[in-house]
Amino acid sequence: MTEHRHASTRPTASGPWVIDTRDIGRRAGLSRPLVRSVPGEGVGLLGVIAVPENGEVELDLLIESVVEGLLVSGTAAAKVEGECSRCLEPLTDEVEVRITELYAWPDSTTDETTDEDEVSRIVNDLIDLEPVVRDAIVLALPQAPLCEPDCKGLCSECGGRWAELGPDHGHETIDPRWAALQERFSDDNNEEK
């Protein structure tokens, strides 16, 4: 029954995000550090701000054996790229997140007391770090990134960046009710010349 329950979430033995945990053992208190760079392309808010193509996520983690499974804790850091949500200028930033995740042993009490999607699972002595790290980075990124905290955005008339236009930039606006009158006076002035 348990094997069938986890069949759809089985990580593959290969892949930079998948960690073989057989060397840690099941005795509570055993641990090992994990420092690794993994491909991070597409991690983030796609189309807004994310780890760029060929970008990496730097993992600095400790994997500890506890009674119910393996506790993974530490940090994940990456450089991200996107564009300002106000002026559309390209921007780069760095994100660092804290990771703390329990991966439950198969057939543990946690297996019986939680739903399948509540706790990450150890499958065939493997854990997949990607979903946990991806979720943490996505939650840490701004949904509306800014190039500067006080970015003024774009001029609604000409589309120029306010940062480049200067404080005296403006457009003459005429009330549409007076537009016909202005045209009339413009025509009279042109006839007099």
Side-chain angles (χ1 to χ4, degrees):
M1 174 73 176
T2 304
E3 282 300 312
H4 176 70
R5 180 176 170 187
H6 301 297
S8 64
T9 60
R10 176 173 291 133
T12 59
S14 62
W17 291 94
V18 177
I19 309 302
D20 188 335
T21 64
R22 285 178 286 193
D23 63 330
I24 298 172
R26 284 188 140 192
R27 194 176 81 205
L30 296 175
S31 66
R32 79 166 155 112
L34 174 73
V35 177
R36 178 183 287 188
S37 295
V38 292
E41 180 179 344
V43 173
L45 301 168
L46 298 180
V48 180
I49 188 166
V51 177
E53 185 176 334
N54 300 321
E56 294 188 332
V57 176
E58 303 297 326
L59 302 176
D60 187 0
L61 305 170
L62 180 65
I63 304 174
E64 300 174 88
S65 184
V66 295
V67 174
E68 288 299 314
L70 294 172
L71 181 65
V72 177
S73 59
T75 60
K79 292 183 178 170
V80 291
E81 295 178 355
E83 63 180 29
C84 178
S85 62
R86 290 186 187 158
C87 71
L88 308 178
E89 281 296 301
L91 60 87
T92 58
D93 201 356
E94 294 183 14
V95 62
E96 182 174 299
V97 293
R98 293 263 333 134
I99 305 293
T100 304
E101 182 75 9
L102 174 66
Y103 288 83
W105 296 116
D107 302 318
S108 68
T109 305
T110 306
D111 224 13
E112 298 167 8
T113 59
T114 60
D115 290 334
E116 185 175 356
D117 60 348
E118 282 184 277
V119 175
S120 299
R121 310 292 173 169
I122 301 167
V123 180
N124 297 333
D125 294 315
L126 302 173
I127 59 175
D128 185 359
L129 299 172
E130 185 176 16
V132 172
V133 173
R134 181 179 295 274
D135 289 351
I137 289 176
V138 166
L139 291 173
L141 291 173
Q143 290 185 9
L146 299 175
C147 59
E148 300 288 331
D150 61 345
C151 176
K152 305 244 186 299
L154 302 174
C155 173
S156 61
E157 294 291 321
C158 67
R161 289 185 65 223
W162 279 110
E164 296 169 355
L165 296 174
D168 58 342
H169 175 74
H171 298 275
E172 187 176 322
T173 56
I174 298 172
D175 187 323
R177 295 171 291 183
W178 296 102
L181 189 55
Q182 183 185 14
E183 276 181 37
R184 175 77 175 133
F185 282 119
S186 296
D187 290 345
D188 287 348
N189 287 340
N190 288 337
E191 288 174 10
E192 289 177 10
K193 291 181 182 178

